Amino acid sequence: MTTPQGNMMDPVLADHIKILSSFTTECFYILDVQQKQFSYISPYTKQLCGYSVEQILNMGYSFYSKIVHPEDLPLVENMYRELVLYCKKNEEKREEISYFSCTFRLQWQYDCKAKPVTYMVYHRVKPLWYEAGLCYLLCASGSTVLKESGYLRVYYKDNMKYEGYNFTAQRWEPGAIKPLNEREKVILVLARRGKSRKEIAEHLCIGYKTLQNQLTVIFAKLKVQTMLQAVVLASNHHLILDMEQAVPDSESLSGEAPLQRRRRLLTPDDLQYIQQALDQGQSILQTAMQVGVVESAIRYLIKQGKIHK
């Protein structure tokens, strides 16, 4: 990219930003690192906390002191300072860096006589480099169910490796998201579609206690405490994207109730379909859900030599 002139944003980039912001309910804005000012702010979002775009542009960075919870304001200031320093020190990694993330609290005082309303946001920052170096930070903030402020991280494009900033030790430390197996991804896909735990267990033809044990493993891998937190984190990092199309809805499985699929008798056409699916590289779990049988039924057929894997 060519270097922008003065404090004027590249007009092509500006047009793309406006189009992109119209597709999201998140607060979307651009920070000019060199000029230390806002270059663009999407209007009509909750994260503006009642302020207009014009007011925010006039306030500049001091806007944060108006909306960020007082206890989290030092965190936000440190976040921007450290991520800018990280970008400048690691410019050779610019093609590998995906984005930075952090959580912090905002507060919105609807009425001067009322107590401010506090809520947590998940904040993502995408650095933009030009020939002159780091120029812009593309920022997006949205409400989150995560409970604690902090967790400043820089994620790389494989979405599994990251570096987390230790505010106490004042250094970046390497980390990694533990990969989810196929079963765990399916559970989160179904949860994202609004299925209850009971419905997920029925859909997968497993016991409720078995599902609870699998959820315990998922929560430990993602370092979360609730199903909603797990779904949010997995969605943000595209951990379940590859399973979205592969998991059918319960209603698409021959119109049968999930529990009735346990006793389903396989026809010759079913066996042919299963064999073709496995030959095409589809997993046993995906095939079982599409046919409407338990996974162990297909494994039994393979063991008996009636189907080949």
Side-chain angles (χ1 to χ4, degrees):
M1 288 183 171
T2 58
T3 306
Q5 299 296 319
N7 61 355
M8 296 296 292
M9 180 182 289
D10 184 330
V12 176
L13 172 62
D15 288 340
H16 287 168
I17 296 304
K18 291 178 182 179
I19 293 172
L20 179 61
S21 64
S22 68
F23 286 98
T24 178
T25 58
E26 292 183 312
C27 179
F28 195 85
Y29 58 93
I30 310 295
L31 290 176
D32 186 323
V33 176
Q34 297 179 352
Q35 300 295 325
K36 296 183 178 181
Q37 64 184 23
F38 292 99
S39 293
Y40 174 79
I41 302 171
S42 58
Y44 314 121
T45 58
K46 179 182 178 182
Q47 279 71 37
L48 299 187
C49 297
Y51 290 92
S52 68
V53 171
E54 290 73 18
Q55 289 175 315
I56 298 171
L57 291 174
N58 288 331
M59 284 187 283
Y61 281 15
S62 64
F63 170 63
Y64 288 111
S65 64
K66 306 290 185 182
I67 65 167
V68 177
H69 191 284
E71 294 178 3
D72 288 354
L73 187 57
L75 167 71
V76 174
E77 293 172 345
N78 286 338
M79 174 195 69
Y80 279 115
R81 179 172 60 251
E82 293 302 331
L83 73 83
V84 169
L85 286 174
Y86 184 94
C87 289
K88 291 181 177 180
K89 291 179 180 178
N90 297 277
E91 190 166 341
E92 72 281 358
K93 295 183 180 180
R94 64 163 73 180
E95 298 300 326
E96 302 174 36
I97 294 174
S98 180
Y99 65 93
F100 294 81
S101 69
C102 187
T103 56
F104 54 86
R105 291 170 292 175
L106 298 182
Q107 59 181 17
W108 186 353
Q109 190 159 1
Y110 293 87
D111 190 312
C112 61
K113 298 180 181 179
K115 185 178 179 180
V117 176
T118 300
Y119 57 96
M120 188 74 69
V121 295
Y122 181 78
H123 189 64
R124 288 169 293 169
V125 180
K126 174 71 174 179
L128 260 187
W129 281 272
Y130 284 76
E131 292 176 357
L134 181 66
C135 285
Y136 298 115
L137 299 177
L138 282 65
C139 307
S141 289
S143 299
T144 179
V145 296
L146 299 177
K147 301 299 182 183
E148 296 183 21
S149 300
Y151 299 109
L152 173 58
R153 292 178 176 180
V154 52
Y155 287 95
Y156 297 94
K157 289 185 177 178
D158 65 359
N159 270 317
M160 302 306 292
K161 293 189 301 181
Y162 67 85
E163 289 185 58
Y165 187 73
N166 186 322
F167 286 94
T168 302
Q170 297 184 349
R171 64 169 181 262
W172 294 90
E173 300 172 344
I177 298 176
K178 293 184 178 180
L180 300 174
N181 62 35
E182 188 177 69
R183 169 78 71 176
E184 293 161 349
K185 291 179 182 180
V186 169
I187 290 172
L188 294 182
V189 167
L190 294 173
R192 184 177 179 178
R193 294 177 183 174
K195 305 290 185 184
S196 67
R197 296 190 183 194
K198 181 180 178 182
E199 289 171 332
I200 293 173
E202 291 176 348
H203 190 109
L204 296 175
C205 298
I206 60 176
Y208 188 80
K209 289 186 177 180
T210 300
L211 175 65
Q212 291 292 83
N213 291 336
Q214 292 175 347
L215 286 175
T216 299
V217 175
I218 293 173
F219 294 170
K221 282 185 175 182
L222 301 182
K223 298 181 180 179
V224 297
Q225 290 77 44
T226 69
M227 180 79 89
L228 185 56
Q229 291 175 356
V231 170
V232 170
L233 191 148
S235 299
N236 286 339
H237 297 289
H238 309 295
L239 302 182
I240 56 178
L241 184 63
D242 60 328
M243 293 300 296
E244 286 285 1
Q245 298 299 321
V247 180
D249 289 323
S250 299
E251 294 76 8
S252 67
L253 299 175
S254 305
E256 300 175 5
L259 286 177
Q260 294 175 330
R261 300 201 302 274
R262 296 175 183 267
R263 302 179 179 87
R264 188 176 187 280
L265 296 177
L266 293 172
T267 67
D269 287 341
D270 290 330
L271 296 179
Q272 183 179 4
Y273 176 86
I274 292 171
Q275 186 63 68
Q276 289 176 347
L278 296 178
D279 289 344
Q280 293 171 2
Q282 191 162 278
S283 71
I284 294 175
L285 176 58
Q286 292 177 24
T287 304
M289 288 190 297
Q290 291 175 359
V291 176
V293 297
V294 293
E295 188 178 355
S296 59
I298 296 181
R299 295 191 182 279
Y300 176 78
L301 292 171
I302 294 174
K303 185 176 181 180
Q304 294 295 312
K306 295 181 180 181
I307 292 176
H308 303 282
K309 174 63 174 174

